[in-house]
Amino acid sequence: MTDSCNFLLAGVGGQGTILASDVLAEVALASGLDVKKSEVHGMAQRGGSVNTHVRWAAGKVYSPLVSEGEADILLAFEEAEALRYVNYLRQGGVAVVNRQAIKPITVSSGGAHYPSEEDLRIVYGRVTDRFYLVPGADLAEELGNARAANVVLLGALSSFLDVPAETWLAVIEKRVPPRYLELNRRVFLAGRDAVRG
């Protein structure tokens, strides 16, 4: 899957979705692949939906956009966002979903229903048996900072690709402040372990 892969990353503003997609694109370049990336973050600063498309290949990549049904890997930073973008995942693709619910006001006021983990499993079960719920924020908090959940999820995603962990960590080292480097190393490796068990 490493020579050619389509990724869709989806989350809520403030979760580090854009940083994760930047790391993913730089990992492709460091691996000698061509890569294209596109992002949509409209109301992200107000907690709105954020999604990024990343496509890489050993040959030329002409478009950054992943069409519905063509994502090899969907990385969702929030459970409802995972449902919003399920139609992008190809049959048999990999879905890595952060076990985190950020309930909008319509849910907390009682006006709408928030999907359960069972809802997620049912919907994704129609598309793939490669569905992984990862406690990204919990793992990151246990290791020092819940805001590093995006790197936990990158670690989980990385275990499905034939790119050495050292390549990922070298790219992450360039992207995070030095004082957070060791934390990011630990959470990345914890994310890899989370989907290998």
Side-chain angles (χ1 to χ4, degrees):
M1 188 184 292
T2 301
D3 286 346
S4 177
C5 200
N6 295 326
F7 305 87
L8 181 75
L9 289 73
V12 171
Q15 288 189 291
T17 308
I18 303 296
L19 175 62
S21 66
D22 289 345
V23 168
L24 188 56
E26 286 184 40
V27 164
L29 292 173
S31 301
L33 302 170
D34 191 30
V35 63
K36 297 287 186 289
K37 179 175 84 84
S38 177
E39 57 195 49
V40 176
H41 47 88
M43 296 296 285
Q45 291 181 332
R46 298 179 187 261
S49 183
V50 176
N51 73 77
T52 60
H53 299 235
V54 178
R55 298 182 67 224
W56 72 21
K60 187 75 176 151
V61 177
Y62 293 98
S63 170
L65 298 179
V66 177
S67 298
E68 289 189 15
E70 292 186 358
D72 298 299
I73 299 178
L74 185 137
L75 182 64
F77 292 72
E78 197 271 343
E79 294 172 2
E81 293 301 312
L83 284 177
R84 185 187 311 264
Y85 293 98
V86 65
N87 55 325
Y88 280 85
L89 187 66
R90 70 168 172 77
Q91 286 291 320
V94 174
V96 176
V97 178
N98 187 20
R99 183 177 270 146
Q100 183 176 19
I102 300 174
K103 297 180 180 175
I105 190 72
T106 54
V107 172
S108 58
S109 67
H113 165 75
Y114 190 87
S116 67
E117 285 185 9
E118 185 58 28
D119 294 333
L120 279 170
R121 291 184 192 284
I122 290 168
V123 170
Y124 273 91
R126 297 179 190 135
V127 180
T128 187
D129 60 355
R130 301 171 76 194
F131 172 76
Y132 302 87
L133 269 174
V134 177
D138 291 341
L139 284 171
E141 187 170 23
E142 285 172 23
L143 293 169
N145 189 334
R147 292 181 53 94
N150 60 339
V151 179
V152 172
L153 296 172
L154 279 174
L157 178 150
S158 75
S159 67
F160 299 101
L161 300 165
D162 298 325
V163 175
E166 295 73 28
T167 302
W168 291 88
L169 292 167
V171 169
I172 290 167
E173 182 176 353
K174 292 184 214 170
R175 305 288 307 185
V176 300
R179 69 181 183 272
Y180 295 119
L181 185 56
E182 185 52 36
L183 166 70
N184 280 278
R185 179 180 180 75
R186 289 194 315 265
V187 299
F188 176 83
L189 296 173
R192 286 174 72 91
D193 291 343
V195 294
R196 289 182 173 172

